[in-house]
């Protein structure tokens, strides 16, 4: 570790991983409710658990991005972070906001209250006071990081990271705009939900991957920067108009069906680019970096993101297909693998790389970390298949044959049972990851002098 303010990242990563455990455990509960619908129905209704599952996902991913920024910006800018105090203040605000959300959702408090009640729009259900807190925290973060970058060396990696973080924060402001007209409400709602994961977060992903490749493979910075610019340009070119794939059936004009189909198909390009980038860098790289687990997560991230977002996204993005699959388990299959591949794995990659350095622990539990990669990724891939099968059957019975929703659900039981099984693997993988990062490696018993002499 070259700069002492990089240590801020430890706190962010620790809180992120704690929330990650909460998120996947809630997923498991939701998965069990699908198998046994009355499970916990009095204490934790499905809709509340679902809000907590998706919101904790987004919050921990963002905390991970913030942590990644606090780790890599000093190294890139060759400067300490402008203010350590502000960085911790930002974390405290976010933790208090998260606690507020959990309490409000769990006990269903302040229903309908303008400031304190939850808003009920998927992913941005947070009460308005929490949203305001998020904006304050984001402003503190942007101020702190921007001043650091401006005072120091500017690299393509920090420029693109900052661009992504600024744009995603600005887009969050649409969370305050909730028009009464449902079509308009949805139109702006996708500005956050879609333009986050399919535009601005992609910039964050590309820059963090670039940083990891720079460190892990030792390829020249100029080569990495060229790739970075191409990826960012194709991401923005396709992703912005690609929002149209959510405008097919919400009451917007019909031309969106063509704009959405064409541009969202092009969204495969940046994800393919990131995968090709990662593999070409490893192939060209001269460095044999000892942290193989970080490399595994980085390559896994680029690959699973290509499949989850690119391939599974394309599967249902043409409007002729989406007409049938909209809002079925096909959507859930894609949502899970895309989020896991792109953003969960990205965070686990940078955490795997940075934590051993931050905590001065090298060698660390690397083999366990790699085992957690296979367990978690295997579980998520299996879950994606079970949901894809469930979604295919559902689409046919419900959308083609016209059977009632609940009658169809009854016939999908076996897929949901298998999804639950894969969820168990994911949760175990997550716990293993945390164990590998949190605890020192057991001492390796060196051969004694007698053995060595043989
Ligand atoms: C890191 C891993 C995970 C990620 C990234 C993730 C992500 C998500 C996302 C984005 C949604 C909303 C999906 C949509 O609107 O289509 C969701 C819902 C859900 N997730 Fe997960 N999840 C993860 C782990 C799990 C696990 C381990 C389970 C357990 C089996 C699970 C079960 C569910 C269920 C049952 C829903 C509700 C789906 C519905 O409304 O029909 N998730 N998750
Ligand atoms: C990492 C990037 C991505 C993530 C995290 C992601 C995640 C999601 C999630 C969670 C949903 C469900 C939203 C909801 O209805 O609540 C969704 C919907 C959708 N995604 Fe993605 N996605 C990504 C990239 C893509 C790409 C590249 C494509 C196209 C090639 C795509 C095509 C779609 C389509 C068509 C829907 C609407 C499904 C429906 O009509 O029900 N996604 N995505
Ligand atoms: Fe989208």
């Amino acid at each position: 570790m070259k700069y002492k303010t990089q240590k801020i990242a430890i706190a962010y990563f620790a809180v992120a991983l704690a929330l990650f455990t909460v998120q996947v455990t809630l997923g498991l509960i939701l998965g069990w409710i699908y198998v046994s619908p009355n499970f916990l129905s009095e204490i934790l209704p499905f809709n509340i658990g679902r809000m907590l599952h998706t919101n904790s996902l987004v919050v921990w991913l963002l905390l991970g991005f913030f942590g990644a920024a606090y780790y890599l910006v000093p190294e890139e800018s060759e400067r300490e972070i402008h203010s350590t105090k502000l960085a911790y203040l930002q974390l405290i605000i976010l933790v208090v906001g998260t606690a507020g959300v959990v309490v409000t959702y769990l006990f269903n408090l302040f229903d309908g209250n303008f400031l304190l009640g939850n808003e009920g729009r998927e992913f941005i259900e947070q009460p308005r006071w929490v949203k305001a807190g998020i904006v304050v925290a984001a402003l503190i973060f942007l101020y702190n990081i921007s001043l650091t970058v401006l005072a120091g060396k500017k690299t393509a990696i920090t420029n693109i990271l900052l661009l992504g973080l600024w744009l995603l924060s600005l887009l969050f402001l649409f969370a305050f705009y909730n028009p009464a007209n449902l079509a308009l409400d949805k139109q702006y709602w996708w500005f956050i939900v879609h333009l986050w994961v399919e535009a601005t977060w992609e910039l964050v992903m590309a820059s963090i991957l670039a940083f990891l490749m720079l460190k892990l493979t030792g390829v020249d910075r100029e080569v990495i920067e060229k790739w970075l610019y191409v990826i960012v340009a194709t991401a923005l070119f396709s992703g912005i108009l690609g929002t149209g794939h959510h405008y097919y059936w919400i009451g917007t004009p019909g031309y969106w069906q063509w704009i959405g189909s064409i541009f969202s198909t092009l969204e495969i390009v940046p994800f393919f680019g990131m995968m090709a980038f990662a593999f070409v860098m490893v192939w060209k790289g001269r460095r044999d970096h000892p942290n193989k687990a970080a490399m595994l997560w980085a390559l896994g991230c680029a690959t699973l993101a290509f499949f989850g977002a690119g391939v599974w996204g394309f599967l249902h993005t043409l409007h002729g297909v989406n007409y049938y699959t909209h809002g079925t388990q096909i959507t859930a299959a894609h949502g899970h693998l895309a989020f896991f591949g792109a953003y969960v794995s990205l965070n686990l990659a940078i955490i795997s790389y940075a934590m051993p350095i931050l905590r001065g622990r090298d060698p660390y539990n690397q083999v366990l970390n790699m085992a957690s990669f296979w367990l978690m990724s295997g579980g998520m891939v299996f879950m994606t298949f079970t949901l894809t099968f469930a979604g295919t059957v559902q689409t046919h019975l419900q959308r083609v044959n016209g059977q009632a929703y609940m009658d169809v659900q009854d016939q999908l039981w076996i897929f949901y049972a298998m999804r639950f099984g894969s969820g168990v693997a994911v949760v175990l993988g997550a716990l293993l990851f945390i164990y590998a990062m949190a605890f020192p490696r057991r001492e390796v018993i060196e051969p004694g002098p007698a053995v060595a002499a043989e």
Side-chain angles (χ1 to χ4, degrees), residues 56-72:
S56 52
L57 168 71
V58 174
V59 173
W60 89 257
L61 294 177
L62 286 170
L63 286 172
F65 294 162
F66 294 141
Y70 285 121
Y71 180 82
L72 71 79

Side-chain angles (χ1 to χ4, degrees), residues 235-248:
L236 293 178
F237 176 76
S238 61
I240 294 172
L241 283 174
T243 320
H245 64 188
H246 303 294
Y247 291 172
Y248 298 157

Side-chain angles (χ1 to χ4, degrees), residues 52 97-110:
L52 290 169
T98 307
V101 163
V102 173
V103 172
T104 312
Y105 291 179
L106 269 187
F107 302 104
N108 214 357
L109 301 174
F110 316 114

Side-chain angles (χ1 to χ4, degrees), residues 190 193-194 197-198 242-243 245-246 267:
W190 284 111
V193 175
H194 169 100
V197 296
E198 289 161 69
T243 320
H245 64 188
H246 303 294
E267 285 182 35

Side-chain angles (χ1 to χ4, degrees), residues 122 198 245-246 264 267 309 313-314 317 322 326-327 331 334 338 342-343:
E122 194 194 0
E198 289 161 69
H245 64 188
H246 303 294
S264 67
E267 285 182 35
F314 178 68
T317 209
N322 192 264
H326 181 60
T331 308
H334 155 69
Y343 303 119

Side-chain angles (χ1 to χ4, degrees), residues 1 21 51 67 69 139 218 295 311 314 340 344 360 370 382 418 436:
M1 191 177 62
T21 324
M51 277 198 281
L139 285 174
M295 179 68 101
V311 179
F314 178 68
F340 178 79
V344 171
M370 290 198 263
F382 193 84
M418 288 200 286

Side-chain angles (χ1 to χ4, degrees), residues 350-412:
I350 184 81
I351 293 175
S352 298
Y353 173 75
M355 270 301 204
I357 300 174
L358 286 167
R359 306 187 67 196
R361 231 179 233 164
D362 198 23
Y364 71 111
N365 275 318
Q366 192 170 182
V367 176
L368 285 186
N369 181 323
M370 290 198 263
S372 83
F373 169 86
W374 291 109
L375 199 54
M376 243 188 280
S377 304
M380 289 311 286
V381 167
F382 193 84
M383 185 185 300
T384 306
F385 281 115
T386 57
L387 291 177
T388 306
F389 293 140
T392 310
V393 174
Q394 182 190 7
T395 302
H396 188 75
L397 294 182
Q398 192 185 320
R399 298 284 163 77
V400 180
N401 291 0
Q403 291 186 27
Y405 176 83
M406 282 316 285
D407 293 345
V408 174
Q409 290 302 313
D410 286 341
Q411 301 176 61
L412 299 177

Side-chain angles (χ1 to χ4, degrees), residues 223-244:
V223 181
I224 287 184
E225 289 182 347
K226 275 185 205 132
W227 278 88
L228 200 50
Y229 286 123
V230 174
I231 290 166
V232 168
T234 53
L236 293 178
F237 176 76
S238 61
I240 294 172
L241 283 174
T243 320

